Every structure is written in C-alpha cells, then in structure tokens.
Amino acid sequence: MTLKSLTPALILAGLMLAVAGGLRLAEGAGLVDADMARRGIQVAIGLMLAAYANLMPKQIRRWRSARADAREQAALRVGGWSLTLAGLAHAGLWAFAPLAIADTVAMMVVAGAMVVTLGFAVWSLTLCRSTGEGAARS
C-alpha cells in the first residue's frame, strides 16, 4: 500500500476526527445539544461514506484478462454507486428525519447498499470463475 492510496483515507479520517472533536467542544460549551451533536456526527459519517465510495471505481488493478478486468470494474462501479447513494441518504436522513426514523432507516439503507455491493461482487466473481476468465494472461 502506497502513500498515494492512503492519502484520501487519512484526509477523511482527519476530517472525521475534527468534526467529532468540534461537535464535542460545541456540546460542552452549550452551543448545541446532545441530539444535534449526534445528528452532526452521523451526517459526517454519511458524507464520509459517500466520499470514500466515490473513490471505489478508481481503484482497479489491471493484471488479468480483459473480461475479468471488465467484471471487476463493473463490480466497483456498482459498489461505488450504491454506497455513494447510501451515504448521501444516510446523511440526509440524519439531517432531516426524526431521530427514531433516522436511526433505523439509515442503517437499513446502508445495509441494503452493502448487500447489493457484495451480491453483485459475488455474482461477478462466480461468473468469472465459471467461464475461466480470471486466469492470468500468458
């Protein structure tokens, strides 16, 4: 793993820590209540998920057959789209929905996106292995 691939993750982690710390300080100073601080961190988590998922399709390695590379790229795109949309929905729910609804529905949205992502990846891998497309080039 190179520094180039770690940089976006480190930036997002630093932003998350800054948001969490800032909200904790604001809560301690009485600027926001506990519910608003909770909403703020959950919105930040949703936006972080969306940002990181947006980077997924850009992480392909080309070292197998062209069909296997295409299937991997398709799986990364499906995962990127589904998790980006789930992150945005998560952030929107926590920003605007009542707490009881946001807590349950946001979790269901992200879990659904994970099922779609993993399901498509497993289907793509199974299809690739059954047709022998995953073999390395000679």
Side-chain angles (χ1 to χ4, degrees), residues 33-65:
D33 61 351
D35 287 341
M36 184 59 80
R38 182 177 176 205
R39 282 182 182 274
I41 195 65
Q42 290 295 333
V43 168
I45 288 171
L47 293 176
M48 181 197 64
L49 174 62
Y52 201 78
N54 190 39
L55 297 175
M56 279 178 61
K58 299 165 183 79
Q59 297 179 3
I60 191 166
R61 302 169 314 272
R62 301 206 187 288
W63 55 275
R64 295 173 302 259
S65 69

Side-chain angles (χ1 to χ4, degrees), residues 5-23:
S5 64
L6 280 177
T7 302
L10 291 173
I11 290 171
L12 287 174
L15 285 173
M16 280 298 297
L17 290 172
V19 167
L23 284 170

Side-chain angles (χ1 to χ4, degrees), residues 54-124:
N54 190 39
L55 297 175
M56 279 178 61
K58 299 165 183 79
Q59 297 179 3
I60 191 166
R61 302 169 314 272
R62 301 206 187 288
W63 55 275
R64 295 173 302 259
S65 69
R67 284 188 176 173
D69 287 342
R71 291 196 192 286
E72 180 183 10
Q73 183 68 40
L76 288 171
R77 284 186 181 154
V78 167
W81 269 103
S82 65
L83 290 171
T84 298
L85 293 175
L88 293 174
H90 184 278
L93 284 164
W94 275 101
F96 302 113
L99 286 175
I101 293 172
D103 197 19
T104 304
V105 176
M107 194 179 342
M108 290 171 51
V109 167
V110 173
M114 288 177 54
V115 167
V116 167
T117 300
L118 291 173
F120 190 85
V122 167
W123 174 78
S124 186

